[in-house]
Amino acid sequence: MTTDELLKDTLTAVADQARTPTGVAHAAWRQRTRMRIRRAATTAAAVAAAVTVGAITAPSLVAREDPPVATSVIAGGIAADLSHAPPVTRVAAGRVTLTAYADCASSCDWYLFTHAGASGYTAAPWGWIDVAPGGRTAAVLEKNLPARRIGLVDTTAASVRRWIDLGRAVAGSVAWSPDGKRLLVTTYDADPGLLDDPGEAGPSRTGFAIVDVASSATTFHSLPDDSGMRSDLSWSRDGSLIWEDIGARQQPRVYYDLTGQPRPGPDQESSSDQPAGLSPDGRRLAMGGRSGSAPFVAEIASGQTTLLEPGGGQAIVRLLAWADDTHLIAWMADTGGDKSRYRLVLVDVTGKPEFTPLTGWTDRLTRPSWLPSFTES
């Protein structure tokens, strides 16, 4: 049996075993927005202003009414804001920093991590934000989507350096390439919003554009999707392909070349139905979500799996980013009652999983009310 066949058999078996509570999986998977993972440098000023420690012992940091959470240690330290949801001070773990987020408790408003002054998340007048490799430049879209131009913002001063004019109002999202030289714009015929509203007619994706940042040269390509929901495109890990999540069981991710022609996806990575995907060292795959199954991690070589089940009325509902080769940043839900509270946690997937809080709990909601955007260091 090949490695790919072993992995597929393992994923099928585990997905049928692990279940999340009724309603929680639906809430997590209705949200098709995919916040990108990008490379960013951490400055000394940001570190000094953050709540950064090498290890977090949860009983000393978590409110008394919450159940104990295991201690976790990760190279590079942890920055947590356990008093707020969404956070006010820097949140980071290992190689990943929360560089921006959209707070959709009432209307969807964006916040950008800035390095000036006290450092923290500052309200931003944009409709979309993605931070570039290096962490010093953010690509932004104006508040009313789809937008006709892309702004390049200095994250130190939160000021626009220059605009790239697309020539037409089409941009619903924008994402930096892994090398920081290009932008991927997903184009729509109407405002795609940030949260899906079941039963309401929504926008259609029309395609995408590739923008060369240095020259501002832009090439548009048709790649329609009429699902009525936001359906953004993402870069592959090496920037040679783009992909979308179509929700299929065996191959959730469909890949295209940079002209929009279908192409085979990278080995194993195409099987992941979680935003985190493949670990940095390529040894583990973040999985889950099939028919309401709980997330888990599969070892590529052996097929061994680790179920991510905190217990105590709590559930992991979405694996967002790899903080390093053995730690994931995830959404955790406290599932008491007909609504849930949500917080970001760090999950250690070696041995028995350990769960370390990174943010405070939201109010009880049907789904997370704020959307994180991460950047790799």
Side-chain angles (χ1 to χ4, degrees):
M1 179 178 289
T2 66
T3 300
D4 284 346
E5 290 171 337
L6 175 62
L7 180 62
K8 287 181 179 180
D9 288 348
T10 300
L11 301 184
T12 300
V14 175
D16 290 338
Q17 294 174 20
R19 310 292 294 181
T20 53
T22 302
V24 174
H26 173 78
W29 286 101
R30 277 296 305 172
Q31 186 177 301
R32 290 184 63 184
T33 300
R34 287 175 292 282
M35 298 300 173
R36 271 90 178 162
I37 312 302
R38 291 288 172 263
R39 300 185 180 278
T42 303
T43 65
V47 173
V51 184
T52 307
V53 292
I56 288 183
T57 304
S60 66
L61 296 177
V62 182
R64 292 183 179 180
E65 67 269 22
D66 292 329
V69 183
T71 299
S72 182
V73 178
I74 185 171
I78 297 172
D81 183 354
L82 305 187
S83 299
H84 302 95
V88 174
T89 59
R90 178 174 173 267
V91 170
R95 67 182 195 140
V96 171
T97 297
L98 177 69
T99 49
Y101 62 79
D103 184 358
C104 295
S106 52
S107 60
C108 287
D109 298 310
W110 278 90
Y111 291 77
L112 174 66
F113 181 77
T114 57
H115 307 285
S119 294
Y121 299 99
T122 304
W126 312 116
W128 185 269
I129 299 176
D130 188 49
V131 178
R136 291 298 185 180
T137 304
V140 304
L141 300 178
E142 291 172 300
K143 191 74 172 179
N144 296 323
L145 301 179
R148 69 174 182 82
R149 60 181 184 171
I150 302 167
L152 301 181
V153 172
D154 182 342
T155 59
T156 301
S159 59
V160 178
R161 291 174 178 166
R162 69 182 175 99
W163 291 97
I164 298 175
D165 196 334
L166 300 176
R168 40 185 155 163
V170 292
S173 72
V174 59
W176 289 92
S177 62
D179 61 8
K181 296 180 180 180
R182 296 163 295 166
L183 293 167
L184 171 61
V185 178
T186 305
T187 62
Y188 293 89
D189 62 5
D191 186 349
L194 288 179
L195 295 178
D196 296 327
D197 296 313
E200 294 187 8
S204 294
R205 186 185 71 203
T206 57
F208 65 96
I210 303 294
V211 181
D212 179 82
V213 175
S215 66
S216 299
T218 303
T219 306
F220 290 88
H221 302 280
S222 176
L223 192 61
D225 175 272
D226 59 1
S227 65
M229 296 185 292
R230 174 179 282 276
S231 185
D232 295 331
L233 298 162
S234 302
W235 292 98
S236 64
R237 287 154 61 103
D238 65 0
S240 65
L241 300 171
I242 60 175
W243 62 272
E244 65 174 320
D245 181 353
I246 63 170
R249 288 191 172 191
Q250 294 298 325
Q251 190 176 359
R253 300 182 179 188
V254 173
Y255 287 78
Y256 306 91
D257 65 20
L258 300 189
T259 68
Q261 296 301 308
R263 292 290 182 265
D267 291 342
Q268 288 88 40
E269 188 178 350
S270 301
S271 300
S272 179
D273 52 5
Q274 297 284 317
L278 197 64
S279 63
D281 62 5
R283 295 177 56 189
R284 296 174 174 87
L285 193 67
M287 286 296 303
R290 261 190 49 187
S291 303
S293 63
F296 60 95
V297 171
E299 297 274 355
I300 299 296
S302 67
Q304 180 180 350
T305 60
T306 302
L307 296 178
L308 306 180
E309 298 179 309
Q314 297 178 347
I316 297 297
V317 296
R318 199 78 162 133
L319 303 177
L320 301 174
W322 285 97
D324 66 7
D325 293 327
T326 59
H327 293 79
L328 283 157
I329 296 178
W331 276 120
M332 173 183 278
D334 175 14
T335 59
D338 58 352
K339 294 184 179 180
S340 299
R341 300 186 301 168
Y342 298 90
R343 79 184 326 166
L344 290 183
V345 298
L346 183 69
V347 185
D348 184 342
V349 301
T350 58
K352 182 178 180 180
E354 297 180 347
F355 306 91
T356 301
L358 295 176
T359 67
W361 290 108
T362 66
D363 294 332
R364 291 204 173 273
L365 306 162
T366 57
R367 59 186 170 185
S369 57
W370 63 279
L371 307 176
S373 180
F374 297 101
T375 300
E376 294 178 8
S377 57

